[in-house]
Amino acid sequence: MTTTASTTIHPTAHPTARDAAGRPFRQVHLAAHFPGVNNTSVWSDGKAESQIAFSSFRHFAQNAERGKFDFLFLAEGLRLREQKGLIHDLDVVGRPNTLAILAGIAAVTEHIGLVGTLSSTFNEPYELARQLASLDLLSGGRAGWNIVTTSDAFHGENFRRGAFLDPKDRYVRAEEFVAVARALWDGWAPGAPAANKKTGEFLSADALTAVDHHGAQFDVSGFGTLPRSPQGHPVIVQAGDSADGRDFASANAEVIFSLHSEFEDGQRFFRDVKGRLPAVGRHPDSLKILPAATFILGDTAAEARERSREVALLQVSPQTAISFLEQLWGTDLGGYDPDGPLPEIDPVLADKGVARGRVRHVVDPVAVAKTWRGIAEAEGLSIRDLVIRFAAKHTFVGTPVQVAEQINRHVQEEASDGFVIVGHTNPTGLDEFVDRVIPELQERGVYRTEYEPGATLRDTLGLTP
Amino acid sequence: MTSPLYLGIALDGAGWHPSAWREPDARPADLFHLDYWVALVRAAEAAGIDLVTIEDSFGLQSTGFGGIDPRRDEVRGRLDALLLATAIAPHTSTIGLIPTITTTHTEPFHVATGVQTLDFVSDGRAGWRVQVSGRAHEAAHVGRRTLPALDPALVARGTDPAQTALLEDLFGEARDTVEVARRLWDSWEDDAVIRDVETGRFVDRDKLHYIDFVGDRFTVKGPSITPRPPQGQPLVYALAHQKVPYELAVAGADIVGITPHDDAHLVAILGQLDTAAQDVSRGADEPLRVWTEISVLIGETADAALATLDRLNATHGEPWTSDTVILADTAEAVAAQLLHWHSLGIDGVRLRPARLPDDLTAITERVVPLLRAAGVLDRPIGAATLRARLGFGRPESRYASPTAPAARATAAADSEADPAADSTVELDLTGSIR
């Protein structure tokens, strides 16, 4: 992929850079995605270090902070993925407890935001609100919460209430969850505790307001246990893409972690979501849209393309290619040659799906399979080639200048406010991005060169007016 | 060689005396800042203290069990202890970190992975002080069940069937939670990650195990989302005061904290633990270790310590009471009490400083040297984990297949290399103390 954006942007070397109309350039916001438990994370090339040792998290976070990223992002899965009734063994497996690892990372960083994915279904608001407030206090105001609403029985088997939630109530519960959490976060008056040794008042009168919530999902009465945290409310992040999800985001979220990283698609999503904000009394800048993006760098565009192919082959091993296809076909395809053509049989429809523990919705597998066969035949693709095309497509491939210009184009032309950058090597996958792409963005005056002293995550994201 | 006496410091707020926060050196405005806690834990670590515990509860502190009290002259509010301990971990290097985590309203799965993660972040220094939440106002924070008010006096007498049932229910749930956590900690064998390029497999799924826990209160399928932590099994500490909690300790804890008021009481408690050991099957790998707990206020002289206690009590408006002995005395007297317990076969002591930092400073600067001189603070050289430091081996996963001799040989070598292992006084589960 080469850039088409170089003519629309006028790079200059200072942060007050303005466009042709004299407006300041829109600023790029970046998040660093800790390598996940899917095939994007390459483990087979000898470069990947432990997925769980704290040294990996320390390196990842400190590198992202060196690159002045807005925040680092951790996904969460509350059960190991399964395929064909067995634990999926082809990808990286094993993650820490999200809140605890963020508390550990808070101790080894100073500025970068700490955003964790946490379920509104398999948590209770009193406890989670308290944990997030603790994280915000421990980190000096850098906590963020990516709300997910998973409610299936598969994950429920690890939790007290099992599969108690009707899927259509996922966002009902999430809305009510956030409302209760916000009430708890507001429960201590600003300035409390007084801790006045002289008068003996640890808490002044009226320092605490009780929460007394009774709704369809929760009954929560009592006092929160923590002073107002530096941000008051941790930053709310949301990733769901359904109509309900978008409504929820426009009402509650401050960052959307989106899947719309293609330029035109990104612009459509950007317009759709930002267009919902005035109706709920919000300014467009109060919600940042950050699509996920992978990247491959090279000294030349050709070298980057070559590296992209090499990485893709690592991301889609022969076994992964078959496994990926089985998720659509709904049946065992172990007899097929990954370097051969796609199966001629149709997907099995009766099966509820062979893969569990990850999000992948396919409405009509037979039609999709037909499309895939068509693509494969037209372009002469093997099973593995086709899977690479779908599961290992890299968003930005080029020289550092090209990648920076593509990112900047998305931001200036309102296809996003920035990106959640996903590396493919744990924990060093973003080192090269920080070394080579970040300076290009800074050169263009569209990305910070330092954090603001004492800035909270909300400040860093430019969410505060 | 003299057998060791292990030392823990129980950190809570500005100290355990309700008026401690008003002392000149107290930092009550900093209780919700990481720096405050790091300074305390580092001071303990520098003195060679084995571990710190961090108090917590599922709601605001309150003097009684009946509900939130109206007092505004005591410290109220706490950071989440697990997250606080995990943030302290990178700032420290040898001391054990044992947060209090309640079992009554929390998710066993989250509790287990949280402690596992603390063990990773601290490189094997994690523990968990198990606590139930029996207060009605804490149940109202979740709203899923209503608890009758727990009355400690009635519970202690054991004559009220409703109170006994409540206690058994709360501690039964705690036992289940510990059992689930221990199974989850073992649910990944140590060598589950294989990174086998040939077959494309990152893990050997045969070394990941469903725990299939089914209890009255919850079921948990497993395996953990988190690999087996550095210690294999982080340490479980249970403070216990009577039969039902003693049974929890025997069933699931590595260390039980007891609160004897005198030697006769100590002997009686050890007898109750023996009885519990006969009634309950043990779910931990090694014999239960017995620690005593004591609250200390240390002065230059005994009179000075008592005068300080009187002053603090006057500020508070009533005498400070505790489930432990409150010893307001000299460093020499505190050391003598600890060595006396050591001579009776006690493995360790969790000290509750009346004032922070004053009594922590007195412990580290004046009590610890006396104990060191007595030869009870020698620790195994190169003990990298909290378990090793305290004389525990590294247990093999309960799910490990018997055809893994390499892993077992390593575990055995670890415990053999530990000079403290043989000399540790242990509560023998056949029913006697040795």
Side-chain angles (χ1 to χ4, degrees):
Chain A
M1 192 188 299
T2 55
T3 179
T4 55
S6 56
T7 54
T8 61
I9 302 300
H10 310 281
T12 53
H14 55 89
T16 54
R18 288 168 188 277
D19 66 13
R23 291 170 305 200
F25 281 134
R26 284 167 46 76
Q27 293 294 299
V28 173
H29 294 279
L30 294 177
H33 192 305
F34 191 81
V37 293
N38 51 48
N39 72 290
T40 302
S41 300
V42 171
W43 55 263
S44 56
D45 63 350
K47 293 178 192 158
E49 295 170 27
S50 169
Q51 84 285 29
I52 194 66
F54 187 61
S55 56
S56 294
F57 290 91
R58 182 195 297 259
H59 178 95
F60 182 82
Q62 292 180 344
N63 176 66
E65 190 164 75
R66 182 171 67 89
K68 313 289 185 267
F69 276 61
D70 293 63
F71 61 88
L72 61 86
F73 181 93
L74 260 74
E76 180 173 74
L78 295 173
R79 184 158 168 192
L80 301 185
R81 288 166 50 200
E82 292 186 3
Q83 188 149 337
K84 294 186 283 188
L86 296 168
I87 289 167
H88 186 64
D89 56 2
L90 303 179
D91 294 335
V92 171
V93 185
R95 291 193 266 211
N97 175 287
T98 302
L99 285 158
I101 198 69
L102 290 177
I105 295 170
V108 298
T109 52
E110 277 179 64
H111 305 287
I112 194 164
L114 309 166
V115 176
T117 301
L118 296 155
S119 166
S120 56
T121 307
F122 300 115
N123 284 290
E124 292 293 329
Y126 187 88
E127 186 183 22
L128 186 56
R130 177 168 186 256
Q131 290 166 325
L132 285 164
S134 294
L135 181 63
D136 207 43
L137 284 157
L138 290 168
S139 65
R142 297 187 279 137
W145 170 24
N146 176 40
I147 302 178
V148 292
T149 58
T150 316
S151 66
D152 57 283
F154 177 73
H155 290 94
E157 283 186 313
N158 280 334
F159 296 94
R160 284 178 181 268
R161 297 174 75 187
F164 68 97
L165 191 63
D166 189 324
K168 71 177 165 45
D169 288 336
R170 290 184 304 145
Y171 282 101
V172 173
R173 182 172 164 103
E175 287 270 3
E176 200 174 316
F177 199 119
V178 172
V180 175
R182 289 194 192 281
L184 286 160
W185 290 330
D186 289 340
W188 287 43
N196 188 325
K197 289 184 186 180
K198 196 166 275 176
T199 64
E201 273 193 330
F202 186 79
L203 293 170
S204 55
D206 306 324
L208 271 52
T209 306
V211 170
D212 192 20
H213 173 92
H214 300 281
Q217 295 292 327
F218 303 107
D219 292 285
V220 178
S221 307
F223 295 96
T225 71
L226 286 171
R228 193 170 180 79
S229 73
Q231 294 189 107
H233 298 184
V235 170
I236 304 288
V237 182
Q238 193 268 348
D241 200 34
S242 62
D244 281 354
R246 291 186 191 195
D247 282 340
F248 176 84
S250 59
N252 298 285
E254 297 166 277
V255 176
I256 293 184
F257 176 18
S258 102
L259 298 172
H260 303 275
S261 57
E262 298 285 344
F263 185 77
E264 282 83 14
D265 182 38
Q267 284 186 322
R268 276 193 299 275
F269 182 77
F270 191 98
R271 279 195 298 272
D272 176 89
V273 171
K274 299 251 180 177
R276 294 171 193 239
L277 296 179
V280 290
R282 296 182 63 186
H283 189 277
D285 288 343
S286 68
L287 174 62
K288 304 294 186 201
I289 296 174
L290 306 180
T294 54
F295 69 95
I296 300 287
L297 301 179
D299 289 339
T300 63
E303 187 193 88
R305 280 195 299 274
E306 200 174 304
R307 279 186 73 188
S308 174
R309 174 70 184 174
E310 286 164 11
V311 170
L313 287 168
L314 294 168
Q315 290 172 325
V316 181
S317 68
Q319 295 87 348
T320 295
I322 295 297
S323 159
F324 183 91
L325 226 55
E326 286 173 341
Q327 290 173 29
L328 180 72
W329 256 258
T331 188
D332 187 344
L333 301 175
Y336 286 84
D337 176 5
D339 294 320
L342 267 65
E344 283 165 9
I345 59 166
D346 278 333
V348 177
L349 291 175
D351 200 297
K352 277 172 28 184
V354 291
R356 300 200 291 179
R358 65 179 309 175
V359 182
R360 176 159 289 154
H361 303 291
V362 175
V363 178
D364 184 353
V366 174
V368 173
K370 197 175 167 191
T371 309
W372 285 9
R373 258 190 234 110
I375 294 170
E377 279 163 23
E379 301 182 21
L381 302 179
S382 67
I383 288 176
R384 195 176 179 195
D385 288 333
L386 184 92
V387 172
I388 283 173
R389 182 177 163 137
F390 286 111
K393 188 176 179 188
H394 302 127
T395 317
F396 299 123
V397 179
T399 65
V401 167
Q402 288 171 334
V403 169
E405 288 185 348
Q406 290 177 67
I407 289 172
N408 195 28
R409 175 184 178 228
H410 279 251
V411 173
Q412 301 311 323
E413 300 185 22
E414 302 198 329
S416 77
D417 290 299
F419 289 92
V420 177
I421 305 293
V422 185
H424 63 263
T425 302
N426 181 2
T428 55
L430 297 190
D431 293 15
E432 192 183 20
F433 189 92
V434 170
D435 290 336
R436 303 183 70 187
V437 179
I438 292 290
E440 295 296 336
L441 292 170
Q442 290 169 330
E443 279 284 297
R444 284 159 179 74
V446 296
Y447 189 73
R448 70 180 65 81
T449 53
E450 292 298 337
Y451 291 103
E452 293 293 328
T456 64
L457 172 56
R458 188 169 282 110
D459 296 335
T460 299
L461 283 164
L463 294 166
T464 26
Chain B
M1 158 177 177
T2 314
S3 67
L5 178 69
Y6 300 108
L7 297 181
I9 303 287
L11 296 177
D12 189 21
W16 287 73
H17 194 289
S19 294
W21 69 272
R22 297 180 66 181
E23 289 291 280
D25 290 339
R27 296 169 55 192
D30 296 337
L31 298 182
F32 305 99
H33 294 269
L34 178 58
D35 295 354
Y36 170 80
W37 298 92
V38 168
L40 294 172
V41 178
R42 279 186 169 168
E45 180 173 76
I49 299 292
D50 295 294
L51 60 90
V52 292
T53 61
I54 301 171
E55 297 304 297
D56 206 353
S57 55
F58 204 80
L60 276 187
Q61 301 93 321
S62 189
T63 41
F65 276 76
I68 293 281
D69 65 28
R71 291 197 81 128
R72 292 187 286 111
D73 62 343
E74 298 179 15
V75 168
R76 290 290 180 266
R78 289 187 180 109
L79 289 161
D80 180 274
L82 168 71
L83 300 186
L84 175 55
T86 314
I88 292 168
H91 291 288
T92 54
S93 56
T94 59
I95 196 165
L97 301 168
I98 303 192
T100 301
I101 309 174
T102 62
T103 57
T104 307
H105 307 293
T106 50
E107 285 287 355
F109 194 85
H110 292 322
V111 171
T113 62
V115 176
Q116 269 178 289
T117 301
L118 173 59
D119 208 41
F120 276 108
V121 175
S122 64
D123 287 327
R125 295 182 285 129
W128 165 25
R129 194 172 84 73
V130 181
Q131 179 168 276
V132 303
S133 164
R135 290 175 155 94
H137 74 262
E138 294 173 347
H141 295 156
V142 179
R144 219 181 286 146
R145 52 181 150 185
T146 50
L147 296 179
L150 193 65
D151 183 334
L154 281 177
V155 167
R157 281 206 293 277
T159 51
D160 183 319
Q163 290 284 323
T164 303
L166 172 61
L167 201 70
E168 285 175 351
D169 190 44
L170 290 169
F171 280 88
E173 186 172 19
R175 261 169 80 171
D176 286 354
T177 304
V178 173
E179 173 67 17
V180 163
R182 288 195 181 280
R183 289 191 197 179
L184 286 171
W185 294 339
D186 279 350
S187 65
W188 288 54
E189 294 183 39
D190 288 314
D191 52 356
V193 173
I194 52 172
R195 297 177 187 247
D196 185 50
V197 177
E198 183 87 353
T199 58
R201 294 178 305 147
F202 180 81
V203 288
D204 178 352
R205 63 162 71 106
D206 292 340
K207 297 190 175 196
L208 304 179
H209 302 274
Y210 296 107
I211 69 163
D212 285 317
F213 179 85
V214 179
D216 298 338
R217 301 156 194 89
F218 46 76
T219 64
V220 177
K221 178 76 181 173
S224 179
I225 54 168
T226 308
R228 196 151 193 258
Q231 295 186 103
Q233 291 276 323
L235 271 188
V236 177
Y237 188 107
L239 169 63
H241 301 98
Q242 57 134 302
K243 177 175 178 286
V244 174
Y246 292 149
E247 289 174 353
L248 163 70
V250 168
D254 297 295
I255 300 172
V256 60
I258 60 171
T259 54
H261 294 146
D262 52 39
D263 286 356
H265 189 205
L266 174 63
V267 169
I269 292 170
L270 294 176
Q272 287 180 282
L273 281 168
D274 285 349
T275 304
Q278 286 159 5
D279 295 346
V280 178
S281 69
R282 183 152 170 78
D285 301 86
E286 294 189 36
L288 182 67
R289 314 294 160 88
V290 180
W291 287 34
T292 47
E293 305 211 0
I294 186 169
S295 303
V296 294
L297 191 156
I298 299 169
E300 292 292 336
T301 63
D303 285 347
L306 284 170
T308 302
L309 180 59
D310 285 346
R311 177 172 57 75
L312 286 168
N313 285 345
T315 302
H316 185 49
E318 56 186 303
W320 172 35
T321 58
S322 170
D323 54 329
T324 70
V325 165
I326 296 172
L327 186 58
D329 210 324
T330 60
E332 289 74 16
V334 171
Q337 176 63 55
L338 268 49
L339 290 169
H340 174 65
W341 274 332
H342 177 248
S343 73
L344 297 177
I346 292 302
D347 296 304
V349 182
R350 188 168 81 123
L351 293 141
R352 305 184 191 174
R355 302 162 297 167
L356 291 172
D358 292 355
D359 291 306
L360 174 61
T361 306
I363 291 166
T364 58
E365 292 183 356
R366 289 152 56 200
V367 177
V368 164
L370 296 171
L371 297 174
R372 196 169 298 288
V376 298
L377 297 188
D378 294 338
R379 296 294 178 263
I381 291 164
T385 67
L386 178 59
R387 287 187 71 95
R389 185 183 176 102
L390 300 185
F392 289 88
R394 187 181 189 281
E396 194 176 354
S397 163
R398 72 195 61 197
Y399 301 107
S401 58
T403 55
R408 257 207 320 287
T410 309
D414 279 352
S415 60
E416 275 163 22
D418 175 2
D422 288 342
S423 55
T424 306
V425 179
E426 293 158 354
L427 180 69
D428 184 333
L429 291 172
T430 56
S432 61
I433 198 151
R434 61 177 166 82

